[in-house]
Amino acid sequence: MVFVKISQENYKRRIEFIRKTLQEQNLKGMIFFNPRSVFYLVGFHHIPTERPIAMILPTEGDIGLFVPNLEINHVKDKVPIVKDVFSYFEYPDETHPMKIFAKALEERKLADKSIAADAPGAPTYWGYQGPALAEIIPKAKITILNELIMDMRVIKDQEEIALINESCKWGNLAHQLLQEYTHVGAAEIEVVNRACAEASKMMIKTLGPDFKPLGGATSAAAGYRGQIGAGSAIPHATTGNIFFKKGDTLVTGAGANVSGYRSELERTMFMGEPSKKQEKYFAIMLKAQNAAIEAFGPDVKNADVDRAARKVFKDEGVWDLVQHHSGHAIGMEGHERPFLDIGSKVVMKPGMVFTIEPGIYVHGFAGFRHSDTILITEDGSEMMTYYPREIEDLIIYD
Amino acid sequence: MVFVKISQENYKRRIEFIRKTLQEQNLKGMIFFNPRSVFYLVGFHHIPTERPIAMILPTEGDIGLFVPNLEINHVKDKVPIVKDVFSYFEYPDETHPMKIFAKALEERKLADKSIAADAPGAPTYWGYQGPALAEIIPKAKITILNELIMDMRVIKDQEEIALINESCKWGNLAHQLLQEYTHVGAAEIEVVNRACAEASKMMIKTLGPDFKPLGGATSAAAGYRGQIGAGSAIPHATTGNIFFKKGDTLVTGAGANVSGYRSELERTMFMGEPSKKQEKYFAIMLKAQNAAIEAFGPDVKNADVDRAARKVFKDEGVWDLVQHHSGHAIGMEGHERPFLDIGSKVVMKPGMVFTIEPGIYVHGFAGFRHSDTILITEDGSEMMTYYPREIEDLIIYD
């Protein structure tokens, strides 16, 4: 049996955890407006628009999901844990959806209780405008718990770790194809689209009908994002109208979306034999990444991993080329807190998953950064990505 | 000369409009935290992360842009209108970026003035946590003008209309290829990736080096988003692990990102000769779209276009199959306000651009929706998309 999605039992555990947390604070329920939190709690994946959605999680009774009409069959067909699905026709419509939601809260006896919410109201998105929760149910006592779900997401459970591991595999394939397809004279986007299309096709056909590509048609992806030649010196360059040339330094990025979970794999590569200058910076970057990887483990301070990378850059005399910290947590989003940053107060625990990606950037010349995904375990850490990191494996001979 | 991006003169006009608006309200400047608003005002395109950015627009003096270190060369290289670029090293770091920003506001003599902001603080995104503007500059009198930029964006100028027209062309190519490549037995994502890759490659190579693919490697795109067979009855289905079968009803979507501007083209198609039932619903949908298109024009109420489509559905006895209103504005975002909705109070003006897309959905069977992009002109309206809308052009014979 192929494991490709969070189990219904896991959703139930998450819901129970929230219910206990609410009961401890004498709260009768919680409203969730954040689509990602709703996805985390019940697995409802949809396209957020100007039409608000809201989930009602009472401490007792059925979970309610309030959606626009165009999502109602979507929920009924796909989200077995939600029994109480109710809807509004449209936004803006003649009656504002939040008025209809207020009535639903009254009917469910929550409009005059002490409840929590993940935000003051539905997010302003794609032109949505609407009242705060406090305006539509003025008799309720509302506590905003905006960090509750993000706090839960920091430690990944066994299912989440399995999905991130699966993501690493397909990111590896996309990256392998990217390296194979890259050659002098090719257009960036042509190579990228070919690698993404092939890897995504193989991922979907391998994992079979239980696997839903929540990341869309390029659920497995690899690319350059404009980090080609001098562009590689801009850490967050964006995709360009660029053709590969001999001598280019390349910085890549790859990953796959497996049921909403991600991984990160980045490599510095060269178009043809690297120069001494390219080799020098590559070696320093790799030394810093190795030092940081060595530092990971349970009960280690996040800040100390960043310090380990910083020390190498300072010792090597390239501190002025550093433009960012050493990494971030990853899971349901590309970046998540906590960060690998000297300012972080977090201490690592088993089940945390991070990227490790110290980099250096020589403006007008090139940038140098690998990124790997790493899991904190009971007795150390485990590299989840496994693409070669040494220079000899990262040279493209045309 | 190929026109593929907003001119510097246009950015200057936008900035001047804001300055006048601020002066009329005796405000000394405005802070922008929304990345899309910063892009609209000065053309800075970047990847938003947990690291906040903020633009300072004083009524007099240079425009300031506050960015993380990893964006500083990006701004200096790419955004000529911004002369005052300043940065912080990283988030979270030992000193919170907002403390550094507060100091910058003091140095620019704005920390104790009456100023505006587009939001109370930097958006919570990818794990960012931070204080509100009012907390870091307590002596300032802050007016939140959160709708100012969206209000400006409602009427498109000549350059914006030209970019949306350009977007329609490449959306048309992507859709044409999607239709050509679709065949019985093929996987949804395989056909989609092939059409997107080919159309994007041709767009980039046609428009040349001045064109930057801000939409990434698939800046021209067409797809099904899971709207295949019974999936087409879910208006916001998502990409699936689906293979085309004879008899499927298909609902498509296509468009292209041209320097941040978009268009929308959607078609209902059939795998092989449609059945009587498929033909019947298709004809009703097309009749409703035609009625709505007829209704467009300057000084027409948005609500009346929605009513024109509703009337057809009611007269034809299929009102119970309707799940959404008739369309929305489009430009820098996939959906924008105002909406084509009976609840809209907006009256159409020349320069507004809308999608027109009334649809009907038979659960378990199929959905029927075309979408076109339409411009309000001085004396009527103009269809910007031009893909065939009649059934005989939308049948795929394998």
Side-chain angles (χ1 to χ4, degrees):
Chain A
M1 204 197 94
V2 63
F3 178 75
V4 287
K5 59 187 177 200
I6 295 294
S7 67
Q8 293 299 310
E9 290 65 39
N10 204 341
Y11 291 128
K12 283 177 193 156
R13 274 198 298 275
R14 292 173 184 180
I15 293 288
E16 281 317 303
F17 178 85
I18 303 273
R19 283 188 162 138
K20 262 189 201 159
T21 305
L22 296 174
Q23 279 163 344
E24 283 163 13
Q25 300 184 41
N26 285 317
L27 298 163
K28 296 297 174 200
M30 183 159 177
I31 315 293
F32 294 91
F33 290 111
N34 183 331
R36 189 170 282 108
S37 295
V38 174
F39 175 69
Y40 178 77
L41 290 172
V42 299
F44 174 51
H45 170 69
H46 81 299
I47 303 170
T49 70
E50 68 281 4
R51 304 170 181 102
I53 68 158
M55 192 176 113
I56 303 177
L57 176 52
T59 47
E60 281 167 36
D62 286 338
I63 301 166
L65 194 48
F66 177 64
V67 294
N69 234 24
L70 59 67
E71 296 290 4
I72 196 142
N73 291 322
H74 205 182
V75 181
K76 287 182 177 169
D77 291 357
K78 308 270 183 185
V79 192
I81 199 172
V82 175
K83 309 290 182 207
D84 178 21
V85 190
F86 53 108
S87 72
Y88 58 98
F89 182 71
E90 200 26 305
Y91 170 85
D93 212 340
E94 287 169 326
T95 305
H96 194 286
M98 282 301 127
K99 285 192 185 162
I100 299 166
F101 187 56
K103 208 164 164 215
L105 288 169
E106 277 165 35
E107 285 163 9
R108 283 156 189 80
K109 317 275 183 217
L110 289 168
D112 56 357
K113 298 287 192 306
S114 287
I115 59 171
D118 67 348
T124 304
Y125 187 68
W126 277 8
Y128 171 77
Q129 297 168 305
L133 198 54
E135 293 171 64
I136 60 164
I137 47 168
K139 289 181 190 163
K141 188 165 175 294
I142 301 164
T143 305
I144 303 295
L145 298 178
N146 57 332
E147 299 291 343
L148 179 60
I149 299 295
M150 190 57 236
D151 286 345
M152 286 173 74
R153 286 168 44 199
V154 168
I155 306 281
K156 275 71 180 174
D157 63 37
Q158 287 308 309
E159 291 189 353
E160 293 176 295
I161 292 165
L163 295 176
I164 297 171
N165 258 324
E166 194 66 38
S167 168
C168 290
K169 285 183 212 167
W170 303 103
N172 199 80
L173 175 63
H175 199 289
Q176 184 64 51
L177 297 176
L178 185 83
Q179 182 168 353
E180 281 177 36
Y181 298 159
T182 298
H183 61 91
V184 169
E188 172 187 8
I189 70 142
E190 201 165 348
V191 170
V192 166
N193 284 333
R194 191 175 164 208
C196 294
E198 282 295 302
S200 298
K201 180 172 87 176
M202 296 309 165
M203 174 167 73
I204 282 183
K205 293 188 179 184
T206 301
L207 296 178
D210 269 2
F211 174 70
K212 305 296 175 205
L214 302 192
T218 53
S219 279
Y224 293 104
R225 236 199 320 100
Q227 300 170 108
I228 296 168
S232 64
I234 306 285
H236 279 187
T238 59
T239 304
N241 197 339
I242 305 172
F243 296 79
F244 297 100
K245 294 192 306 294
K246 195 163 182 297
D248 280 345
T249 302
L250 311 174
V251 179
T252 66
N257 182 325
V258 178
S259 299
Y261 288 83
R262 293 147 205 277
S263 59
E264 186 174 297
L265 164 66
E266 298 179 352
R267 288 292 179 265
T268 301
M269 307 200 297
F270 302 100
M271 294 301 287
E273 205 64 57
S275 67
K276 291 284 170 222
K277 194 174 169 187
Q278 285 170 315
E279 277 182 1
K280 181 186 88 173
Y281 290 122
F282 183 98
I284 294 171
M285 173 277 288
L286 191 60
K287 193 174 172 186
Q289 200 200 22
N290 283 332
I293 290 168
E294 282 296 309
F296 275 97
D299 303 322
V300 170
K301 289 178 190 157
N302 277 13
D304 286 345
V305 171
D306 197 26
R307 278 191 194 102
R310 282 177 174 235
K311 182 172 188 312
V312 172
F313 290 137
K314 284 177 180 166
D315 289 352
E316 296 286 341
V318 297
W319 175 248
D320 57 316
L321 304 180
V322 176
Q323 300 199 345
H324 57 74
H325 53 213
S326 303
H328 51 77
I330 188 165
M332 287 175 56
E333 290 175 285
H335 293 201
E336 292 179 358
R337 66 175 169 80
F339 302 98
L340 299 177
D341 185 296
I342 52 160
S344 175
K345 306 280 179 252
V346 174
V347 173
M348 295 179 173
K349 298 282 165 224
M352 288 188 182
V353 177
F354 294 98
T355 69
I356 180 63
E357 48 178 324
I360 45 180
Y361 304 92
V362 185
H363 189 48
F365 174 62
F368 302 83
R369 181 182 71 250
H370 284 355
S371 181
D372 283 278
T373 301
I374 195 163
L375 168 68
I376 307 303
T377 61
E378 292 294 337
D379 49 10
S381 68
E382 192 183 302
M383 290 281 274
M384 300 178 84
T385 41
Y386 47 88
Y387 203 83
R389 296 193 298 129
E390 300 295 331
I391 196 164
E392 57 265 30
D393 296 313
L394 299 167
I395 301 169
I396 295 172
Y397 298 100
D398 222 48
Chain B
M1 205 198 93
V2 63
F3 178 75
V4 287
K5 58 187 176 199
I6 296 294
S7 67
Q8 293 298 310
E9 291 65 39
N10 203 341
Y11 290 129
K12 284 176 193 156
R13 276 199 297 275
R14 293 173 183 179
I15 293 288
E16 281 317 305
F17 178 85
I18 303 273
R19 283 189 163 136
K20 263 190 200 157
T21 305
L22 297 174
Q23 279 161 345
E24 283 164 12
Q25 299 185 42
N26 285 317
L27 297 164
K28 296 298 175 198
M30 183 158 177
I31 314 295
F32 294 91
F33 290 111
N34 183 331
R36 189 170 280 108
S37 295
V38 174
F39 175 69
Y40 177 77
L41 291 171
V42 300
F44 175 52
H45 171 69
H46 81 298
I47 303 170
T49 69
E50 69 280 6
R51 303 169 181 104
I53 67 156
M55 192 175 111
I56 304 177
L57 177 52
T59 48
E60 282 167 34
D62 287 338
I63 301 165
L65 194 49
F66 177 63
V67 294
N69 234 26
L70 59 68
E71 296 289 3
I72 196 143
N73 291 321
H74 205 182
V75 181
K76 287 181 176 169
D77 291 357
K78 309 270 184 186
V79 193
I81 199 173
V82 175
K83 308 291 182 207
D84 177 21
V85 191
F86 54 107
S87 73
Y88 58 98
F89 182 72
E90 200 26 307
Y91 171 84
D93 212 341
E94 288 170 326
T95 305
H96 194 286
M98 282 301 127
K99 286 193 183 161
I100 299 167
F101 187 57
K103 210 167 163 210
L105 287 169
E106 277 165 34
E107 285 163 10
R108 284 156 188 80
K109 317 275 183 217
L110 289 168
D112 56 358
K113 300 287 192 304
S114 287
I115 59 171
D118 67 347
T124 303
Y125 187 70
W126 277 8
Y128 171 77
Q129 297 168 304
L133 198 54
E135 292 171 63
I136 60 164
I137 48 167
K139 290 180 189 166
K141 189 165 174 295
I142 300 162
T143 305
I144 303 295
L145 298 178
N146 57 331
E147 298 290 341
L148 179 59
I149 298 294
M150 191 56 235
D151 286 344
M152 288 173 73
R153 285 168 44 196
V154 168
I155 306 282
K156 274 72 179 174
D157 63 37
Q158 288 308 308
E159 291 189 352
E160 293 177 295
I161 292 165
L163 295 176
I164 296 171
N165 258 322
E166 194 66 39
S167 168
C168 289
K169 285 183 211 166
W170 302 104
N172 199 81
L173 174 63
H175 199 290
Q176 184 64 51
L177 297 176
L178 185 82
Q179 184 168 353
E180 282 176 35
Y181 298 158
T182 298
H183 62 90
V184 170
E188 172 187 10
I189 71 142
E190 199 163 351
V191 169
V192 166
N193 284 333
R194 192 175 163 206
C196 294
E198 282 295 302
S200 298
K201 179 172 87 176
M202 295 309 167
M203 173 167 74
I204 282 183
K205 292 188 180 185
T206 301
L207 297 177
D210 270 3
F211 175 71
K212 304 297 175 205
L214 302 191
T218 53
S219 280
Y224 293 104
R225 236 202 318 103
Q227 300 171 108
I228 296 168
S232 64
I234 306 286
H236 279 187
T238 59
T239 304
N241 197 340
I242 304 171
F243 296 79
F244 298 101
K245 294 191 307 290
K246 196 161 181 298
D248 280 344
T249 302
L250 312 174
V251 179
T252 66
N257 182 324
V258 178
S259 299
Y261 288 84
R262 292 148 206 275
S263 59
E264 187 174 298
L265 164 66
E266 298 179 352
R267 288 294 178 265
T268 301
M269 308 200 298
F270 302 101
M271 293 302 287
E273 206 64 58
S275 67
K276 291 282 170 225
K277 192 173 170 188
Q278 285 170 316
E279 276 181 2
K280 181 185 87 173
Y281 289 121
F282 183 97
I284 295 170
M285 173 276 290
L286 191 59
K287 193 174 175 186
Q289 199 200 23
N290 283 332
I293 290 168
E294 282 295 311
F296 274 97
D299 304 321
V300 169
K301 288 177 189 155
N302 277 12
D304 286 345
V305 172
D306 198 26
R307 278 191 193 100
R310 282 177 174 236
K311 182 171 187 316
V312 172
F313 290 137
K314 283 176 181 167
D315 290 352
E316 297 285 342
V318 296
W319 175 248
D320 58 317
L321 304 180
V322 176
Q323 300 199 344
H324 57 76
H325 54 213
S326 303
H328 51 77
I330 187 165
M332 287 175 56
E333 289 176 286
H335 293 201
E336 292 179 358
R337 64 174 171 82
F339 302 97
L340 299 177
D341 185 296
I342 52 160
S344 175
K345 306 282 179 249
V346 174
V347 173
M348 294 180 175
K349 298 285 166 223
M352 288 187 182
V353 178
F354 294 99
T355 68
I356 179 63
E357 49 178 323
I360 45 180
Y361 304 90
V362 185
H363 189 50
F365 174 61
F368 301 84
R369 180 181 73 250
H370 283 355
S371 181
D372 283 277
T373 302
I374 195 163
L375 168 68
I376 308 303
T377 61
E378 292 294 337
D379 49 10
S381 68
E382 193 184 302
M383 289 282 273
M384 301 178 83
T385 41
Y386 47 90
Y387 203 84
R389 296 192 299 129
E390 300 295 332
I391 196 164
E392 57 265 30
D393 296 311
L394 299 167
I395 300 169
I396 295 172
Y397 298 102
D398 222 47

